Amino acid sequence: MTEPKPRPSENELPPVLGRVAFLAVVSGLTPLIPVPFLDDYALRQARESMVLTILSEHRLPRPARAVEVLAGSHVGRTAGGRLMSYMKGLALFPVRKLFRKIFFVLWVKDCVDVASSALHHGYLLNHALYRGDLRPEDMEGPLPGKLHDAIVAACAELDPRPVNQALRRLFAGSRLLMAEATRAFFSSDALGPRTPEPGESAEVKTLTERLIAALWEERGYFAALQQHYDTHLKARHAP
């Protein structure tokens, strides 16, 4: 294993986690793309960008296959996520207020689920590389897959509600998400290309800053998450 990098003080978050939070927010906004399959492509790009960022932070090589595996690009979107994508592509007509409200709630849930998954994976990958679990010579072998599987197993064992609740508060109050939902229902050109609205980048930055603050409040949860990951990776290394 590589020599672990010095950990930051317990009173501060590693700077790379700020970038993880930003890319988790970006991932969480990909369900806003009202084109089936294009949102999946954008999500893969956001997740792989997160992996590239973390590998660069730890000065590791970035072979394409290892990046895809660590990002989970070889794993398909959930059935629920795909259904939401198709629904958004079909919902381009005025509907009753009640259905519009239900649809928006489901849309927020999709954004939360996607962002939460990206955040958990990014956090644990950064933790793994601090531990020195991946060496440059391991990048072309089976170890990236073992790391990914240990991350998935660790995430499955903890109830993500503490993090998801924070994300839900962020996205439910997002002006960008509300504007996009309205556009999907009432705009005749919602399936075509769109020009980013003024202030979108500023809102993503604001959402990221609020998410970083929420991460600090839930540091006990993330400490437990790390322990679960450590246990699963050790089991995968066992003879």
Side-chain angles (χ1 to χ4, degrees), residues 41-118:
Y41 173 77
L43 176 58
R44 286 197 303 272
Q45 293 297 302
R47 291 285 292 261
E48 289 177 13
S49 292
M50 177 182 290
V51 170
L52 288 168
T53 295
I54 297 171
L55 291 176
S56 295
E57 174 74 13
H58 293 272
R59 305 181 186 88
L60 286 170
R62 303 177 296 173
R65 179 57 185 167
V67 170
E68 291 176 359
V69 170
L70 291 170
S73 296
H74 62 302
V75 179
R77 182 90 170 270
T78 65
R82 287 193 296 271
L83 177 61
M84 279 298 300
S85 177
Y86 300 144
M87 288 176 64
K88 286 178 285 186
L90 294 173
L92 304 179
F93 52 85
V95 292
R96 290 183 303 171
K97 183 177 181 180
L98 176 61
F99 183 79
R100 198 162 65 239
K101 181 177 180 180
I102 293 172
F103 185 78
F104 181 73
V105 169
L106 291 173
W107 208 338
V108 170
K109 182 182 184 303
D110 200 22
C111 290
V112 167
D113 289 345
V114 170
S116 179
S117 175

Side-chain angles (χ1 to χ4, degrees), residues 8-180:
S9 162
E10 292 185 358
N11 294 322
E12 62 178 345
L13 288 172
V16 68
L17 291 184
R19 295 190 284 280
V20 168
F22 171 79
L23 290 166
V25 169
V26 171
S27 298
L29 292 174
T30 57
L32 296 177
I33 300 172
V35 184
F37 304 112
L38 183 57
D39 56 347
D40 283 343
Y41 173 77
L43 176 58
R44 286 197 303 272
Q45 293 297 302
R47 291 285 292 261
E48 289 177 13
S49 292
M50 177 182 290
V51 170
L52 288 168
T53 295
I54 297 171
L55 291 176
S56 295
E57 174 74 13
H58 293 272
R59 305 181 186 88
L60 286 170
R62 303 177 296 173
R65 179 57 185 167
V67 170
E68 291 176 359
V69 170
L70 291 170
S73 296
H74 62 302
V75 179
R77 182 90 170 270
T78 65
R82 287 193 296 271
L83 177 61
M84 279 298 300
S85 177
Y86 300 144
M87 288 176 64
K88 286 178 285 186
L90 294 173
L92 304 179
F93 52 85
V95 292
R96 290 183 303 171
K97 183 177 181 180
L98 176 61
F99 183 79
R100 198 162 65 239
K101 181 177 180 180
I102 293 172
F103 185 78
F104 181 73
V105 169
L106 291 173
W107 208 338
V108 170
K109 182 182 184 303
D110 200 22
C111 290
V112 167
D113 289 345
V114 170
S116 179
S117 175
L119 180 63
H120 281 75
H121 280 67
Y123 184 93
L124 283 180
L125 178 58
N126 186 65
H127 166 69
L129 299 189
Y130 264 121
R131 277 168 40 98
D133 291 341
L134 200 58
R135 300 169 297 182
E137 59 268 29
D138 296 323
M139 298 301 292
E140 301 285 359
L143 193 52
K146 291 183 179 181
L147 257 68
H148 176 267
D149 291 345
I151 288 172
V152 170
C155 293
E157 289 184 342
L158 285 185
D159 184 347
R161 277 181 293 181
V163 173
N164 288 4
Q165 287 170 0
L167 286 166
R168 189 171 294 109
R169 289 192 294 270
L170 294 182
F171 286 113
S174 166
R175 294 187 301 275
L176 176 57
L177 193 149
M178 289 187 285
E180 196 65 24

Side-chain angles (χ1 to χ4, degrees), residues 22 25-26 29 174-176 196-211:
F22 171 79
V25 169
V26 171
L29 292 174
S174 166
R175 294 187 301 275
L176 176 57
E197 299 291 334
E200 284 190 12
S201 296
E203 181 175 356
V204 171
K205 181 180 178 182
T206 298
L207 291 174
T208 301
E209 291 171 348
R210 292 169 60 191
L211 178 56

